[in-house]
Amino acid sequence: MPYNVLRKPILIIDPGHGGKDPGAVSKYGREEDWTLKISLYQYERFQALGVPVVISRTKDVDLEENERVSTVKNSGATYCFSNHLNAGGGDRAEVIHSIYDDGELANLIKEELEAVGQETVKVYTRKGSNGADYYYMNRRTGAVKTNIIEYCFLDNEADFKHFSENWKAYAEAPIKAFCKHIKHPYKPLEQKEGWKKENGKWFFYEKGKKETGWVKWKNKWYFLNDQGEMQNGWIKDKGKWYYLNPDPDKGEMMTGTVTYKGKLYYLNPDGSMAENTPVNVTLKAGKDGALAP
């Protein structure tokens, strides 16, 4: 079994698809990768919160329908999160619960997803032609109360962009909802804020998100590359050159005159290097007689 059976769980998390079944696929990615990412995050968070939890898979492996429902039914859990991303051009999240479930947890998940910015969340059940639950994760998981959570539409650019930029907040929403539902103490994940040094590199966080590009902090400008790393020295941005403090623990944008490799440069008030234009610079003679700004 892929989980510890010595402690009876209250929840099993099932990352949808996996292995040879990628689920929905678009130019923005594959569903199976995101469902695993979300599920592993939730699994670790529930453990940290002290909620007895198990997970159906921790790697990108095949999990056929019979094996999947058997894992859920035999887990001993009362609840199941079946994590998915949708496709088909919609623009919303969905929570699908069994026709035999009152939908209380599903609606709590809806509220928390809306709280993190998912504008539309549809909660519903669906019957098959035989009157039973249409989706096998609702129909075949026995007494386990399964909620199928579709976080966004993978093939909708705007919907997926908001999700991918805030995926941890989306993944956290069902955690908060579940703790509320079972009346278990919930503690938000501590978010990184401001400057953090990681592996010798400086990064700037805002509400837990690593920033990129230009960042203003204490009336000084800094430039962070696509990976969020603070830059030093000369950089070129949108056709203009800028000089950032070369000290690896500083990095603020410089203005005025700077000397670099024996040459004097002038940086405009906006930090851009002056090119092919007269500049008015006052020089003074030092003790050794050399001229300097």
Side-chain angles (χ1 to χ4, degrees):
M1 298 292 283
Y3 46 76
N4 182 2
V5 296
L6 297 178
R7 186 183 184 196
K8 185 176 180 179
I10 191 171
L11 172 70
I12 180 168
I13 301 170
D14 179 48
H17 307 284
K20 64 185 180 183
D21 173 16
V25 177
S26 79
K27 63 182 179 180
Y28 306 116
R30 303 185 307 174
E31 181 181 4
E32 65 176 340
D33 298 328
W34 281 103
T35 61
L36 184 59
K37 191 173 185 176
I38 291 166
S39 298
L40 289 172
Y41 172 88
Q42 291 175 340
Y43 179 55
E44 291 177 3
R45 281 286 288 132
F46 275 122
Q47 287 183 312
L49 288 166
V51 175
V53 61
V54 291
I55 190 168
S56 61
R57 65 182 179 93
T58 58
K59 296 179 180 179
D60 184 21
V61 295
D62 290 330
L63 207 57
E64 301 294 343
E65 179 179 331
N66 287 339
E67 184 181 3
R68 191 181 299 272
V69 296
S70 177
T71 299
V72 172
K73 286 175 67 175
N74 296 328
S75 66
T78 304
Y79 301 91
C80 172
F81 285 172
S82 179
N83 287 324
H84 290 266
L85 268 65
N86 219 330
D91 182 9
R92 64 180 180 274
E94 297 180 351
V95 187
I96 310 156
H97 62 89
S98 170
I99 58 176
Y100 302 107
D101 188 346
D102 61 12
E104 179 184 339
L105 176 56
N107 278 287
L108 286 173
I109 295 171
K110 165 188 163 72
E111 291 174 10
E112 296 302 332
L113 283 171
E114 289 175 338
V116 300
Q118 177 54 283
E119 293 182 358
T120 305
V121 184
K122 180 181 178 181
V123 174
Y124 66 100
T125 62
R126 184 176 177 183
K127 285 185 179 181
S129 57
N130 61 355
D133 278 300
Y134 178 83
Y135 297 103
Y136 78 80
M137 285 300 291
N138 292 134
R139 186 179 68 251
R140 298 192 58 199
T141 49
V144 181
K145 298 177 182 179
T146 299
N147 281 275
I148 302 170
I149 309 171
E150 304 269 8
Y151 291 86
C152 72
F153 274 73
L154 182 61
D155 56 354
N156 181 300
E157 182 178 3
D159 197 27
F160 178 74
K161 184 175 186 294
H162 188 269
F163 160 77
S164 62
E165 291 176 349
N166 303 277
W167 74 268
K168 283 188 178 180
Y170 275 65
E172 188 76 17
I175 298 171
K176 188 175 181 180
F178 188 75
C179 288
K180 190 179 294 185
H181 183 67
I182 65 170
K183 297 178 173 57
H184 183 87
Y186 170 78
K187 182 180 179 181
L189 182 68
E190 185 176 339
Q191 293 187 334
K192 294 180 180 179
E193 200 69 36
W195 290 106
K196 301 293 179 184
K197 195 171 189 179
E198 302 169 2
N199 299 319
K201 301 286 186 180
W202 282 101
F203 300 87
F204 190 83
Y205 290 86
E206 187 171 341
K207 295 181 179 179
K209 179 184 175 184
K210 191 179 289 183
E211 296 292 298
T212 59
W214 289 104
V215 169
K216 191 175 185 180
W217 184 72
K218 292 188 175 180
N219 294 318
K220 294 181 179 180
W221 286 97
Y222 301 81
F223 189 81
L224 314 170
N225 68 12
D226 290 343
Q227 288 72 49
E229 299 172 359
M230 184 187 76
Q231 300 298 286
N232 302 98
W234 289 106
I235 65 161
K236 194 172 188 179
D237 182 50
K238 297 178 181 177
K240 294 183 178 182
W241 284 99
Y242 299 83
Y243 189 69
L244 310 174
N245 192 322
D247 186 325
D249 288 323
K250 293 184 178 178
E252 75 276 8
M253 182 187 76
M254 311 293 285
T255 59
T257 55
V258 297
T259 301
Y260 178 76
K261 292 188 176 181
K263 292 184 178 181
L264 191 63
Y265 296 84
Y266 181 77
L267 307 171
N268 295 308
D270 67 356
S272 62
M273 183 185 73
E275 298 179 78
N276 300 316
T277 185
V279 294
N280 187 14
V281 178
T282 301
L283 302 177
K284 62 180 180 180
K287 288 183 179 180
D288 60 355
L291 295 177

